[in-house]
Amino acid sequence: MSLKEQRIAFHEPQFSKEEEKELLEVLRSGWVTSGPKVSDFESSFKDFTKGLHAVAFNSCTASMHVALASWGIGPGDEVVTTPLTFCATIEAIEYVGATPVLADIDCNDGNLSIDEVAMCINPRTRVLLPVHYSGFPCELQEINILAQEHDLKVLEDAALAVGSMYYNKPIGSHSDAVAFSFYATKNISTGEGGMLTCKDKEYAEKCRRLSLHGMSKDAWKRYSDRGSWYYEIQELGFKYNMTDLAAALGLVQLEKVESGNARRREIADLYISRFSTLPFLKPFQWEVPSHIVHNRHLFPLVLDIDKLSISRNEFIERLYDLGVCTSVHYIPIHYHPYYKNKYGWKKGDFPNTEYLFERLISLPIYPSMTDVDVEKVASAVEKVGSENLVF
Ligand SMILES: *Cc1c(COP(=O)(O)O)cnc(C)c1O
């Protein structure tokens, strides 16, 4: 029996012959690092997100680091973000020497609570860094209004939000800067990769420079008839550029993202129709407001643990025994020893985040899942819950 028959994986890569063909072409072209494919991918991605500018990176983490560095964010500055995120969000803030300030979330969708963000703003605040939890867009209008009132920049961590929409406009077009991830498990994958879309042209140029050693070819124009070898380092940059190999994958993946996201929404609807009558679950992102399109990157299940005789962790074990692999997004930032020690954060600091974390299980959801796979997951959830109900 193949692994696939044995159990439902939490994630499966969605690569096919087209990606293989494009990769081979790049290999045979003799140019594998940043070149024409990266330019094409940037321009296609810009069109897709309706962003004004797009700069490719080798990860989303790198793009957020450069986004903050290019604004000159550094020691003494504060960046307000969420505790319910992947460590990468906070790392970017740490890399520039700024201070992460965590605001609690809203339990309805897992996104930052605007009231909590407002309470964190003080004269040291420079940036708001909302994360689209599971791909569900944050209330960007309110966040951007708050930012304008206090003269702050907005950087969105849209690692999970490729193809999500807010008021009929794609994520990528709403704020000063928006960071995407093409890591192995995201809705578009280039193996590893990232993209920053942004509104300001000079800022985009600075981000591009910093993504490649801070290397400037502008000076070249002054020596233009002397060959193309000349460059100058005007500022300290990073080695964060995307390769043409990755971009070739990205170009094919981008063509499939709409159909892939549509299939994800179908799967989510199947789950919701199976789950809405189960007494041990709490509705979470089951209803999506009309101004939002959710790309359904994740399907987080929220257990009503008061109605169950087993914990979330035991629930995960039981699902695994029935052949269903799951995950948890995320271990709250303030639970990690490095951050606890550095900032003195402790359990109790962010009650809504903690409440959700104790109840969350991310179910498998990806375009290659069949209806039979979905049914297998749904009936496993139903079985584990009904067998462990408390009356
Ligand atoms: C995956 C992820 C990242 C990191 O993306 P990389 O491309 O691996 O750097 C950042 N933020 C969130 C919320 C993520 O889920």
Side-chain angles (χ1 to χ4, degrees), residues 332-350:
I333 293 302
H334 67 292
Y335 284 11
H336 291 297
Y338 171 81
Y339 292 107
K340 268 204 310 219
N341 295 340
K342 183 159 183 187
Y343 296 105
W345 290 324
K346 57 190 183 309
K347 199 161 190 259
D349 285 351
F350 306 102

Side-chain angles (χ1 to χ4, degrees), residues 364-384:
I365 184 165
Y366 40 89
S368 58
M369 277 181 93
T370 63
D371 286 6
V372 174
D373 294 335
V374 178
E375 179 50 34
K376 184 173 174 187
V377 176
S379 42
V381 169
E382 181 168 7
K383 186 169 177 353
V384 175

Side-chain angles (χ1 to χ4, degrees), residues 138-155:
C138 297
E139 278 305 335
L140 291 171
Q141 214 159 36
E142 294 173 38
I143 289 167
N144 275 288
I145 287 170
L146 200 58
Q148 273 158 26
E149 280 169 5
H150 298 274
D151 197 19
L152 311 172
K153 299 289 187 195
V154 175
L155 167 63

Side-chain angles (χ1 to χ4, degrees), residues 93 130 140 168 281 308 370:
I93 304 167
L140 291 171
N168 297 318
L281 297 179
L308 291 166
T370 63

